[in-house]
């Protein structure tokens, strides 16, 4: 306010516009870099659409792929992808966290800002201090992940390649990017609890959101003074319930499927059920061949992908808190109670409306795009379930695929690029826009109650 | 209130419970009647599950069928089905209209009841007078439909069978029941505008709701004194837009499909596109082989089925007004405006919440039931799209099928029966329950604003 001339260009854009623009710019730069010869292995030649697709899937931490980065890209090219992944993931966590705090500060100016207080318990000195903390936290988690993965990869691949693979997979997992240099994602490691559980832990932490983790750590360290926020409780409860229910349902549905869990021993059955429950939300790695899952499991996976991770993290989807508010308020309406109560707090109608609108808009985007994917389809092998799965996977930036992506045509690839971009910036910027603008109608119209519903 | 002893049994139940009970009772009685030997053609033997399925599909005016009523049932058996259809349709229109008025009277006691006023312009003398008017109106429309259809069917089948067929199809169409005695629904009449358009008109009128039509007629007769209600405008606008968009999209998608519109001349292409746009909402007749539609058309049809008809009519689905309120309020939130405005009236937040909850609960029921349909499937021919189509068709009481129903197993048939029943009584009783109970929390919890969404 005191320095109106300092950032004349940036200040012309609203925060949602800034996010949209910065992601679009990064995709353009990333595609350009990937098109340079040094980024590709000799004998390979990326076309422009594939380069844009690859930059988008990296920056939007999706993981759908037209090319195998280990085969097509040189090591510098792979590092460009890794940088895009790290930028995309960090960008999301940072944007999400900073704007969540800024938003709250503006809306509830007169109130105590509990969320900000929690962060200030860690001596956050303004936005720059917060960003530095997010960076350090990211480096620590990714470092720990690299060390754990190196215990397996270094003996297997030697120091150089082993450490490189460990780093790539740790960064990819924490940012929920779903990229692997191992060919068939994690299928070669389905019997390896160390790799599977490390990757799951990284995906879960990266998808949980920074503020929730700060809140939990503060609560554990200083139980008296730091309460677990309602938001943290909602996110953690929903995450645990979805992981548990997903694991049990997938185990039940796939137990005897000869193409997936059937031939595995008991322990691996459970381990792979857990991995298959974690990864749709929205890590995108897989230990089983997705295409060979049973139709019911595929449908369940589509639902898990649509829900996705939690706000303020690197994952996609409509988010756990959105699902919790939608389900909780629908349930309290069915029971004839006016408002949803969670953990002894009323959830206000404006929050409920926002959650339901996010859920319905996401459904609308997925629906329209799926209609287009179906209408433009020219590959007979790709049926309804392939394209529905692919559409949700792109929108929620999951990256799982029923081996569909390479068989799509150019029109469908453009649609997937749009989906990844919308799915990445959509829920965040939309939630921001919803929370921010409180434009009032100029004319106050009389209310109308006599609308029959249902 | 003055005669507490007059209806001691009935008064123990709430209106939603009454609806649920009366439909369950009618299904039980109907199944029993269909199981009697005189209801079946000689040599046929209905099993219990098929009888319950058939009574449910008739009473819930769905139209999914395990048997061809023309082949399996005797004429008395067919008349039992027709009676169930007429009961189901009339029951819905009556329940819907009476409760809509009663509900409004209770909620806005101090206000002028505009909806009731409109009806009172027709000198409605209480509930019995209203019910009589609904009966007379139904008979007139069905009579007109019978006469129009007889112009085709009497020359073709002779007086006896021609009139019988005309009556059955007029009743079936007006009640959105989807039942036909012509073997392949209306496929033999796809080149016949008289039959096609008469059936479409009956389906549309039956699905529009009684109050809207009363309001429109009153408005047309006495333009000055009778305003078109916002509810009527919303329903009519949404209906026209959906019919138009559906016709155009289906024409575009199927134009060159050799199995559907491809070989037809221009006029028939358009006529059959229109019929294929009308019938998913939720008439259930077809002039094309549903299974041979393109995947994109099938997906569009699933959407049209899910939306369905309008409140207070014989059709199913979440209803046009629900879609309009959901879409309109989501759009006004995206544009940063606080409340949805339609036809110079604010739509209140409670109405928006109710509409979104109806849409989300319907999605949840369809989702859970589809998961079960997939998990219990034992027929390799039935893929994801077959079962998704069948599930929505049952829930929205549409009756269109990708020739799936006869190939379902017993478990799936039970699921379909539950879906038809829930889809039939669900939205109505749920909307009633939502509007009625305004139970307050005993303890007033403090509000919680810090929930991150999206
Ligand atoms: K991903
Ligand atoms: K029907």
């Amino acid at each position: 306010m005191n320095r109106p001339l300092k950032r004349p260009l940036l200040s012309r854009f609203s925060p949602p516009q800034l996010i949209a623009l910065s992601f679009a710019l990064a995709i353009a730069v990333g595609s350009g870099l990937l098109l340079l010869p040094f980024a590709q292995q000799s004998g390979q030649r990326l076309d422009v659409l594939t380069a844009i697709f690859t930059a988008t899937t990296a920056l939007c931490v999706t993981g759908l792929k037209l090319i195998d980065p280990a085969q097509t890209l040189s090591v510098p090219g792979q590092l460009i992808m890794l940088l895009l992944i790290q930028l995309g993931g960090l960008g999301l966590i940072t944007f999400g966290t900073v704007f969540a705090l800024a938003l709250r500060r503006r809306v509830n100016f007169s109130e105590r800002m509990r969320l900000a207080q929690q962060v200030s318990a860690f001596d956050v000195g303004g936005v720059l201090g917060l960003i530095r903390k997010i960076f350090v936290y990211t480096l620590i988690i990714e470092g720990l992940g690299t060390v754990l993965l190196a215990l397996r990869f270094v003996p297997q691949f030697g120091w150089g390649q082993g450490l490189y693979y460990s780093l790539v997979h740790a960064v990819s997992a924490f940012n929920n990017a779903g990229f692997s240099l191992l060919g068939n994602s994690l299928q070669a490691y389905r019997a390896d609890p160390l790799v599977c559980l490390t990757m799951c832990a990284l995906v879960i932490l990266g998808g949980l959101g920074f503020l929730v983790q700060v809140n939990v750590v503060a609560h554990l360290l200083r139980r008296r003074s730091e309460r677990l926020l309602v938001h943290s409780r909602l996110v953690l409860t929903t995450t645990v319930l979805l992981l548990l229910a997903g694991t049990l349902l997938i185990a039940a549905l796939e137990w005897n499927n000869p193409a997936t869990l059937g031939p595995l021993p008991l322990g691996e059955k459970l381990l792979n059920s857990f991995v298959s429950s974690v990864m749709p939300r929205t890590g995108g790695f897989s230990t089983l061949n997705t295409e060979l899952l049973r139709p019911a499991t595929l449908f369940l996976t589509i639902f898990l992908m649509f829900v996705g991770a939690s706000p303020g993290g690197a994952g996609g989807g409509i988010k756990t808190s959105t699902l919790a508010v939608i389900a909780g308020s629908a349930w309290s309406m069915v029971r004839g109670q006016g408002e949803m109560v969670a953990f002894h707090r009323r959830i206000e109608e404006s929050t409920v409306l926002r959650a339901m609108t996010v859920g319905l808009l996401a459904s609308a985007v997925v629906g329209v795009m799926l209609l287009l994917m179906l209408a433009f389809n020219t590959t007979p092998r790709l049926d309804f379930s392939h394209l529905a799965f692919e559409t949700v996977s792109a929108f929620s930036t999951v990256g799982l695929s029923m081996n569909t992506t390479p068989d799509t045509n150019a029109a469908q690839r453009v649609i997937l690029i749009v989906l990844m971009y919308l799915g990445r910036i959509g829920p965040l910027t939309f939630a921001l826009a919803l929370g921010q603008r409180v434009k009032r109608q100029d004319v106050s119209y009389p209310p109308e109650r006599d609308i029959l519903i249902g």
Side-chain angles (χ1 to χ4, degrees), chain A:
Chain A
M1 299 290 263
N2 294 323
R3 310 182 210 168
L5 294 173
K6 183 138 190 211
R7 290 192 289 180
L9 184 66
L10 282 182
S11 64
R12 265 183 239 158
F13 300 105
S14 66
Q17 288 171 327
L18 268 184
I19 298 176
L21 275 177
S22 59
F23 268 78
L25 197 69
I27 289 171
V29 172
S31 320
L33 287 174
L34 288 178
L35 281 170
L36 296 177
F38 83 94
Q40 302 160 31
Q41 298 213 351
S42 56
Q44 301 285 337
R45 196 80 201 93
L46 280 187
D47 61 289
V48 175
L49 185 59
T50 305
I52 296 177
F53 190 99
T54 305
T56 308
T57 193
L59 191 82
C60 298
V61 292
T62 307
L64 293 176
K65 40 190 173 299
L66 292 173
I67 54 163
D68 181 349
Q71 301 293 322
T72 313
L73 298 181
S74 63
V75 170
Q78 294 168 12
L79 287 174
I80 292 173
M81 277 197 73
L82 202 65
L83 193 68
L84 288 172
I85 288 170
Q86 185 69 81
L87 269 178
L90 266 180
L92 276 165
I93 298 178
T94 311
F95 275 134
T97 308
V98 170
F99 286 136
L101 292 175
L103 195 63
R104 246 132 267 281
R105 198 169 280 139
R106 192 176 313 173
V107 171
N108 305 329
F109 195 81
S110 60
E111 290 183 48
R112 300 287 290 181
M113 242 184 49
R114 274 171 297 149
L115 215 55
Q117 260 185 309
Q118 297 292 350
V119 180
S120 71
F122 275 71
D123 285 309
V124 175
V127 168
L128 281 181
L130 178 64
I131 292 177
R132 199 181 313 123
K133 289 215 160 37
I134 293 176
F135 274 57
V136 171
Y137 150 82
T138 301
L139 284 180
I140 291 174
I141 306 274
E142 288 178 355
L144 282 175
T146 306
V147 170
L148 285 172
L149 291 175
L151 295 177
R152 179 70 68 238
F153 290 157
V154 167
Q156 193 177 354
F157 300 106
W159 278 103
Q161 201 178 11
L163 278 180
Y164 177 59
Y165 276 17
S166 302
L167 175 73
V168 167
H169 285 86
V171 171
S172 178
F174 179 74
N175 291 292
N176 277 234
F179 270 99
S180 172
L181 297 174
L182 299 166
N184 264 329
S185 194
L186 303 180
Q187 289 185 32
Y189 295 87
R190 71 169 61 126
D192 187 335
L194 174 67
V195 172
C196 284
L197 294 179
T198 303
M199 295 296 279
C200 284
L202 287 167
V203 163
I204 293 172
L205 287 177
L208 215 45
F210 179 67
L211 289 177
V212 169
Q213 290 170 67
V214 170
N215 184 218
V216 169
V217 171
H219 176 69
L220 292 177
L221 292 181
R222 285 167 282 180
R223 193 170 287 276
R224 294 284 149 74
S225 55
E226 302 291 346
R227 223 169 40 80
L228 258 191
L229 298 173
V230 174
H231 175 72
S232 305
R233 288 164 196 255
L234 265 188
V235 162
L236 292 171
T237 310
T238 313
T239 301
V240 168
L241 284 179
L242 282 177
L243 289 179
L244 259 183
T247 305
L248 293 177
L249 280 170
I250 291 169
L253 290 167
E254 297 294 324
W255 201 263
N256 293 317
N257 184 347
T260 60
L261 296 186
L264 305 185
L266 179 69
E268 288 181 38
K269 274 188 163 86
L270 294 175
L271 179 65
N272 284 275
S273 300
F274 179 66
V275 175
S276 303
S277 168
V278 170
M279 290 308 178
R281 318 207 5 262
T282 55
F285 297 93
S286 55
T287 54
L288 303 172
N289 185 338
T290 305
E291 197 177 7
L292 301 180
L293 294 170
R294 292 216 158 106
T297 315
L298 289 169
F299 182 59
L300 175 67
T301 305
I302 289 178
F303 169 73
L304 294 175
M305 294 197 296
F306 187 73
V307 175
S310 302
I318 62 167
K319 307 294 175 332
T320 51
S321 54
T322 309
L323 175 74
V325 169
I326 289 175
S329 58
W331 181 237
S332 75
M333 284 184 90
V334 168
R335 290 176 60 214
Q337 294 163 345
E339 279 169 320
M340 174 188 176
V341 172
F343 307 106
H344 305 291
R345 288 285 182 283
R346 276 189 295 117
I347 310 299
E348 298 201 316
E349 274 201 351
S350 61
T351 306
V352 174
L353 266 179
R354 227 166 358 131
M356 289 188 168
T357 306
V358 166
L360 290 162
L361 281 177
S363 309
V365 170
V366 166
V368 170
M369 292 302 190
L370 175 53
L371 187 66
L372 292 175
M373 289 288 282
L374 290 164
F376 282 111
N377 187 45
T378 47
T379 313
R381 190 183 79 80
L382 302 182
D383 69 11
F384 191 84
S385 60
H386 286 85
L387 296 172
F389 194 97
E390 191 83 359
T391 303
V392 176
S393 179
F395 178 75
S396 289
T397 66
V398 181
L400 293 174
S401 176
M402 293 166 66
N403 307 323
T404 303
T405 330
D407 288 348
T408 51
N409 58 32
Q412 291 172 315
R413 289 171 188 189
V414 172
I415 297 169
L416 288 176
I417 291 173
V418 172
L419 271 168
M420 292 190 275
Y421 180 74
L422 282 182
R424 188 70 287 187
I425 66 157
L428 178 59
T429 58
F430 177 66
L432 267 180
L434 281 190
Q436 222 164 27
R437 289 188 273 173
V438 203
K439 206 195 290 171
R440 279 281 150 225
Q441 303 287 339
D442 289 326
V443 190
S444 183
Y445 295 101
E448 175 67 42
R449 287 189 192 84
D450 290 336
I451 312 273
L452 304 185
I453 297 293

